Amino acid sequence: MYVNAQKKNDRKTIGNLQLHITYLSSDKLEGRRTGAPGEQLAAAYISTQMQQIGLSPKGDDGFVQTFIVKESREPATACTMTINEDHLLAGSQFIPLPFSAVKSAKGEVIPNVNEPDNIWLINAKEMDTDTHKSMLEQYLQQTQVAAKSGATGVIFYNGKEAPAAVLQWLEQNPPATSIPAVWVNNDVSKKLSADDANGFQINMQVAFKPIKRTGTNVIGYIDNKAPKTIIIGAHYDHLGFGEDKNSTAKVLYHGADDNASGTAALLEIARMLKASHLHNNNFVIIAFSGKQQGLYGSKYFASHSTVDLTQVNYMINLDHIGRLDQAYGLQIGGIGTSPGWAAIIQQAATKETHLVYDSSGVGPSDHTSFYRKNIPVLYFFTGIDSDSLQSDDSADKINYEGTLSVVKLVYDIVDKTNEMNKLAFTSTREPLNTGSTTLSGKMMNK
């Protein structure tokens, strides 16, 4: 009777995992890039699921908590440039440099002749480069020299940078120069350096528009009126169309394993906990965004928590848990962050799952933000396949039975700690992945 009921529950959990992962990694969500419309669709989906499970909202505004990922600039509509009769496209054919003055400049420019009171053309290939300085610093230095020599503007051509890299420079705030300065791409560079070029009528206007990129954490709560709280989290953002990878190719990154798998498991664990008898801890269920940009969401929550962090018992993080392979094993990081973890996990683990332990509380995922607050952490991870950071990280490649086993293990760990006192915190070595020990039901080596 119990076995049949358990199988029925497992089938329901697997069905829910498939439902969540399929939606979150669908084309509709466009890769869930932080701050993009697809991220907002994902946040709305997660909020709805939390509400249906019966979680209470624990964000700053309902279930959501917003945070700034970065403040930057982009070429404004008024940012224009023409060469002879050709109107160039701002942001791709030409990009104003971050130190550029917000001014206009025009003139009849002759190649290889840089005169006072005119726009200068500077060939990046012929610059005396300084290996101790970045190209942005060297462009700034050249512009300062040109301004002192009477140039009214500067155009850098034949640079090796991709447009995406130059656009990222707009996130920086170097000292401003007194003249406008722009970078042009390869196609425009070929025109400016053509052997038969006699002269160019150039008209340029630099203008910037400030932009603010925000991310959204989604936070639910199970209030058991308990003195201790457990945080369980997973990031739901992914790479979008690869905009943050400095690539000009527009490729959709679906992110089924990274990290729709962890998000789906998070929701199913929340559903199980809401229906459980485990009432000696409260539970914060949090889906982070901004992980791909540097753990922005978890860092923000850890510094602007909607619960008292001094009462937090421990934090569990689920990231890349959809490709369980017994040969590789289930990686569990953070074992050394509490002296109680080893015994707890041994009690909860099954012989069917090959476990690989690492003691460090620091790693490339959101548990690090809580370890930095002296909170014991665990980090669950099934490894990165060759395609799990590529565009074909799709829902059909997920090991759903394996993901279910991770869900059940996390639940069992929570179960084992239900009657225990608040776990003690211990600091661990850094960095991650040095001295880890592979185990199958054996005590790990701290």
Side-chain angles (χ1 to χ4, degrees), residues 129-150:
T129 56
D130 184 344
T131 57
H132 299 290
K133 293 183 178 180
S134 69
M135 282 308 300
L136 177 59
E137 291 173 318
Q138 294 179 71
Y139 286 153
L140 170 59
Q141 186 175 24
Q142 291 286 331
T143 302
Q144 291 169 334
V145 170
K148 288 180 181 179
S149 301

Side-chain angles (χ1 to χ4, degrees), residues 96-108:
L97 292 165
F99 50 76
S100 174
V102 179
K103 286 183 178 179
S104 61
K106 63 180 179 179
E108 183 175 354

Side-chain angles (χ1 to χ4, degrees), residues 307-377:
V307 296
D308 183 359
L309 290 186
T310 65
Q311 301 303 311
V312 171
N313 193 352
Y314 56 84
M315 188 270 177
I316 290 178
N317 179 34
L318 304 157
D319 194 356
H320 274 278
I321 61 161
R323 302 286 189 93
L324 183 62
D325 183 316
Q326 290 300 337
Y328 181 84
L330 171 61
Q331 313 288 300
I332 305 179
I335 304 294
T337 62
S338 177
W341 275 139
I344 292 166
I345 294 173
Q346 279 196 311
Q347 292 173 28
T350 63
K351 294 180 180 180
E352 288 75 22
T353 302
H354 173 56
L355 302 180
V356 181
Y357 297 154
D358 188 277
S359 64
S360 180
V362 177
S365 194
D366 294 299
H367 59 287
T368 302
S369 303
F370 296 89
Y371 170 79
R372 298 295 188 202
K373 298 293 183 179
N374 296 333
I375 295 171
V377 297

Side-chain angles (χ1 to χ4, degrees), residues 10-234:
D10 288 352
R11 286 197 299 270
K12 179 179 179 180
T13 301
I14 286 178
N16 289 342
L17 291 170
Q18 290 174 327
L19 181 71
H20 300 323
I21 293 172
T22 298
Y23 177 74
L24 291 171
S25 61
S26 65
D27 289 356
K28 181 179 180 180
L29 269 64
E30 298 183 331
R32 311 185 307 278
R33 179 176 182 253
T34 299
E39 181 226 36
Q40 293 299 297
L41 288 174
Y45 177 84
I46 295 166
S47 298
T48 299
Q49 292 298 318
M50 287 185 176
Q51 187 174 30
Q52 290 176 355
I53 289 167
L55 305 187
S56 302
K58 204 63 174 176
D60 297 325
D61 182 11
F63 286 99
V64 304
Q65 177 189 61
T66 59
F67 56 92
I68 296 173
V69 176
K70 65 180 178 182
E71 294 181 273
S72 182
R73 295 172 293 168
E74 64 183 15
T77 304
C79 190
T80 58
M81 182 174 177
T82 58
I83 298 179
N84 296 334
E85 300 299 320
D86 294 333
H87 292 265
L88 305 186
L89 184 63
S92 57
Q93 290 181 300
F94 82 97
I95 300 171
L97 292 165
F99 50 76
S100 174
V102 179
K103 286 183 178 179
S104 61
K106 63 180 179 179
E108 183 175 354
V109 182
I110 301 173
N112 300 315
V113 179
N114 290 330
E115 302 174 320
D117 298 320
N118 204 357
I119 297 170
W120 284 22
L121 302 180
I122 298 180
N123 188 341
K125 285 183 178 179
E126 297 178 355
M127 286 170 47
D128 293 327
T129 56
D130 184 344
T131 57
H132 299 290
K133 293 183 178 180
S134 69
M135 282 308 300
L136 177 59
E137 291 173 318
Q138 294 179 71
Y139 286 153
L140 170 59
Q141 186 175 24
Q142 291 286 331
T143 302
Q144 291 169 334
V145 170
K148 288 180 181 179
S149 301
T152 58
V154 173
I155 298 171
F156 291 97
Y157 67 102
N158 285 334
K160 295 180 180 180
E161 306 81 20
V166 180
L167 285 170
Q168 283 199 325
W169 287 348
L170 295 179
E171 298 172 20
Q172 302 184 37
N173 291 292
T177 56
S178 59
I179 59 175
V182 304
W183 173 98
V184 296
N185 71 357
N186 288 337
D187 290 339
V188 179
S189 295
K190 289 176 182 178
K191 176 182 290 189
L192 295 178
S193 55
D195 292 336
D196 59 351
N198 295 317
F200 304 99
Q201 288 288 341
I202 298 177
N203 193 337
M204 54 194 280
Q205 168 72 56
V206 169
F208 294 108
K209 180 177 75 172
I211 57 173
K212 185 179 290 187
R213 185 174 173 187
T214 59
T216 302
N217 292 330
V218 187
I219 311 165
Y221 189 57
I222 300 174
D223 187 1
N224 290 321
K225 310 300 181 185
K228 309 186 300 295
T229 298
I230 294 169
I231 298 175
I232 306 176

Side-chain angles (χ1 to χ4, degrees), residues 313 337-340 376 421-426:
N313 193 352
T337 62
S338 177
N421 294 328
K422 188 169 180 282
L423 295 185
F425 171 80
T426 53

Side-chain angles (χ1 to χ4, degrees), residues 227-255:
K228 309 186 300 295
T229 298
I230 294 169
I231 298 175
I232 306 176
H235 80 90
Y236 71 94
D237 63 304
H238 193 51
L239 301 175
F241 287 98
E243 297 94 333
D244 297 322
K245 293 169 71 75
N246 290 341
S247 173
T248 55
K250 189 174 182 180
V251 179
L252 175 57
Y253 292 80
H254 292 91

